[in-house]
Amino acid sequence: MDQVTVIADCAVATVDPHGTEYGRGHVVVRGNRIDAVGAGDPPEVGSARRIDGRGCLLTPGLVNTHQHLYQWITRGLATDHTLFEWLGKLYPLWAGIDEDAVRVAATGALAALAASGCTTTTDHHYVFPRDGGDPLAAEITAAARVGLRFHPCRGSMDLGASAGGLPPDHLVERLDDILAASAEAVARWHDPSFDAMLRIALAPCSPFSVTPDLLRESAALARATGVRLHTHLAETADEQDYCASAFGCTPAQYMQRLGWFGPDVWYAHAVHLDDDAIDAMAETGTGVAHCPTSNARLGAGVARTADLVRAGVPVGLGVDGAASNEAGSMIEEPRHALLWARNRGGPHAMTVRTALELATMGGARVLGRAAEIGSIEVGKLADLALWRLDTAAHAGIEDPVTALVLGSAPPLAALLVNGREVVRDGEVRTVDTDVVAAEVARAQAALLAKAG
């Protein structure tokens, strides 16, 4: 018989199509599905696990649409560099990673995501040293251990420095090897079922680290196997200059020529877009993973998020790699998205509820899972975050959504992923975070020593 969980006496922001909210409401979870949601007291359901929601706000779990988990063990480095300088500094370190280092890094980053209210995350892993084992399998193992819904992207680079790319030659792979490994990853791990905990995407790294052939062939493979496509796009002015010099066009124009626009594609960053690019993305349903904290950390610019949303582009949020966002905290992203949007477009550019929607339903749309996650509706998967808002930091803020988005990051009373409790009373229950922290410190020290 399915486990029944009742969360009661909490404020509820469903983020459903009508923006339904309850000042005092409840949710009933049966197995891994939402069975009931409404105002007031829950229905009688007999024997059930009960979670007291007094003083709390219940929201959908947050959805992280762009991350580089392996970077958790290279945080705090190259803190005053541009993107291209930062990459040049860190590529030699990343060349030393192996599957064990990735497992440790991913576990640390995923635990931090869980503690910050994230229930679904993607990852873009594109560094595969020749003697590094199987990093993709390592992070998949880590995600299963922590208990998050996971969308890892089999990334790739095949354009080394000697051929005009940015990464060093020893970090790139051969085109045929990439395509074979990508096909194997899809066949081995991708689960298209409604309640899948694991789905694969294909993700050549960026216009300045891959060849046009890799972009074309990856798109063809993804569409033949029914998986999504992801890459970085228009992150910095340096990338704009690179594409103008190498291809005679903008990054968006370049990717559109190669068949990389469509409802199965989402781009990380998309900071430097003109009106034509935004219109084309809206028309084709191409998505964006907006990464406000990382963009600010690297000084990459302020994305036109309000314009993207207004045009109808699917927009989610991402923490990006931990080497350009040391906190890796998903709850910080809606706040920063709102602040950066208002800084660019004025006080009415984005509301607090739009910011929450980007972090939940927006991310679900970007990942192609709007029917399954992203809102609190009967029949959807039980990915839920219960935020404690009766703390001193939030006392006196009458609107709970405002308290969540604009106030200090609140502790989690509970986090459910697929109906399973992953966080309770601010503590990640699936892994020992003290042990994980010690492993992360050792892995970083070993990686630094290896690089000399």
Side-chain angles (χ1 to χ4, degrees):
M1 182 177 293
D2 288 334
Q3 165 81 48
V4 177
T5 301
V6 176
I7 307 172
D9 293 320
C10 53
V12 181
T14 69
V15 199
D16 70 8
H18 307 292
T20 305
E21 296 182 10
Y22 304 107
R24 175 177 170 271
H26 65 270
V27 167
V28 178
V29 172
R30 189 177 299 275
N32 68 347
R33 307 287 180 97
I34 297 168
D35 195 57
V37 54
D41 294 328
E44 289 296 328
V45 292
S47 177
R49 175 181 59 169
R50 294 184 178 269
I51 298 176
D52 185 354
R54 284 176 294 180
C56 298
L57 170 66
L58 185 68
T59 71
L62 307 185
V63 179
N64 178 25
T65 59
H66 186 64
Q67 170 71 300
H68 305 294
L69 295 173
Y70 75 95
Q71 292 180 12
W72 194 255
I73 57 172
T74 57
R75 290 178 296 159
L77 305 174
T79 54
D80 301 312
H81 293 58
T82 69
L83 174 65
F84 279 20
E85 292 169 346
W86 175 85
L87 287 169
K89 178 80 171 179
L90 291 174
Y91 275 140
L93 277 179
W94 296 338
I97 65 169
D98 57 22
E99 62 180 66
D100 188 60
V102 170
R103 176 191 57 78
V104 170
T107 304
L110 290 160
L113 286 170
S116 67
C118 179
T119 52
T120 296
T121 184
T122 187
D123 184 59
H124 186 182
H125 189 89
Y126 53 85
V127 179
F128 292 89
R130 290 177 178 84
D131 58 352
D134 193 342
L136 191 63
E139 66 174 15
I140 287 171
T141 298
R145 181 183 173 205
V146 175
L148 297 193
R149 203 176 299 278
F150 196 35
H151 283 232
C153 304
R154 205 299 176 178
S156 52
M157 299 187 294
D158 72 334
L159 185 67
S162 65
L166 195 66
D169 287 349
H170 62 274
L171 273 185
V172 303
E173 301 175 274
R174 295 175 57 252
L175 174 61
D176 289 346
D177 293 339
I178 292 168
L179 295 174
S182 297
E184 180 186 7
V186 175
R188 181 178 177 186
W189 284 304
H190 183 67
D191 180 0
S193 64
F194 180 88
D195 56 358
M197 291 294 290
L198 180 62
R199 289 187 182 171
I200 301 296
L202 302 187
C205 185
S206 66
F208 51 82
S209 61
V210 305
T211 62
D213 285 343
L214 176 55
L215 289 166
R216 290 191 193 94
E217 294 295 329
S218 293
L221 176 59
R223 285 163 180 153
T225 55
V227 302
R228 301 178 81 76
L229 287 162
H230 182 51
T231 193
H232 300 90
L233 185 78
E235 182 176 0
T236 65
D238 287 340
E239 183 184 331
Q240 296 281 97
D241 294 343
Y242 178 90
C243 288
S245 175
F247 313 121
C249 60
T250 68
Q253 288 169 336
Y254 174 62
M255 298 303 289
Q256 192 168 18
R257 290 175 189 172
L258 296 172
W260 267 70
F261 272 43
D264 57 348
V265 177
W266 86 100
Y267 291 118
H269 305 295
V271 174
H272 299 276
L273 297 178
D274 58 23
D275 289 345
D276 289 343
I278 292 175
D279 289 344
M281 293 175 80
E283 183 178 349
T284 57
T286 305
V288 167
H290 175 39
C291 304
T293 304
S294 175
N295 292 157
R297 199 288 209 171
L298 288 170
V302 180
R304 297 174 59 186
T305 315
D307 293 337
L308 289 163
V309 172
R310 191 179 304 113
V313 175
V315 179
L317 301 180
V319 303
D320 199 13
S324 62
N325 176 0
E326 277 72 8
S329 170
M330 191 59 201
I331 189 55
E332 293 184 2
E333 300 307 326
R335 180 171 186 261
H336 291 167
L338 181 146
L339 296 178
W340 298 178
R342 290 185 180 181
N343 185 51
R344 182 181 183 113
H348 301 298
M350 185 177 293
T351 69
V352 293
R353 282 164 173 78
T354 297
L356 177 60
E357 182 177 1
L358 295 183
T360 53
M361 198 63 207
R365 291 190 187 102
V366 164
L367 297 184
R369 303 201 71 166
E372 302 154 82
I373 61 174
S375 62
I376 304 176
E377 299 180 74
V378 172
K380 281 198 163 185
L381 298 170
D383 290 5
L384 303 167
L386 186 66
W387 306 93
R388 175 120 265 135
L389 296 179
D390 55 1
T391 70
H394 303 92
I397 304 178
E398 183 177 357
D399 175 22
V401 176
T402 295
L404 176 66
V405 173
L406 286 180
S408 300
L412 279 169
L415 185 78
L416 271 61
V417 184
N418 211 43
R420 176 194 183 196
E421 192 172 74
V422 173
V423 178
R424 186 67 183 269
D425 297 328
E427 179 183 336
V428 179
R429 296 297 180 93
T430 51
V431 295
D432 185 327
T433 53
D434 289 338
V435 172
V436 171
E439 290 178 343
V440 165
R442 285 194 294 269
Q444 183 180 49
L447 192 62
L448 292 170
K450 186 185 292 187

